[in-house]
Amino acid sequence: MMQVKILFTLFAVLMLIVLGANNCDAADCLSGRYRGSCLVWNMKKCRDTCRHEGRTGGHCSTSLKCWCEGC
């Protein structure tokens, strides 16, 4: 029974890693000007920074990085 719990926990952690890795689209790229952690309340700052870089917009990812859209 303990082996099933360990296997389920390992599966859950691997799924979180895979889902987090697929969070960004292929047309997204990291911002070159944004500094610091990109948290939910920093979304406007990330979007504005990306627009100043000439992109269409931006968003914060689960890895706390600012990703620009339209690269």
Side-chain angles (χ1 to χ4, degrees), residues 2-68:
M2 188 65 164
Q3 293 173 343
V4 173
K5 289 181 182 179
I6 292 173
L7 184 63
F8 179 75
T9 303
L10 180 63
F11 177 75
V13 170
L14 288 175
M15 285 302 295
L16 287 174
I17 292 171
V18 169
L19 291 176
N22 289 332
N23 191 27
C24 295
D25 294 330
D28 293 353
C29 59
L30 280 174
S31 172
R33 294 183 184 169
Y34 190 89
R35 298 289 176 240
S37 297
C38 189
L39 303 170
V40 174
W41 50 84
N42 299 119
M43 196 76 73
K44 183 177 180 338
K45 181 182 173 189
C46 174
R47 185 173 38 247
D48 291 343
T49 302
C50 288
R51 286 184 180 154
H52 284 286
E53 292 179 19
R55 311 290 186 218
T56 58
H59 62 273
C60 296
S61 69
T62 56
S63 60
L64 306 179
K65 296 178 182 175
C66 178
W67 287 87
C68 295

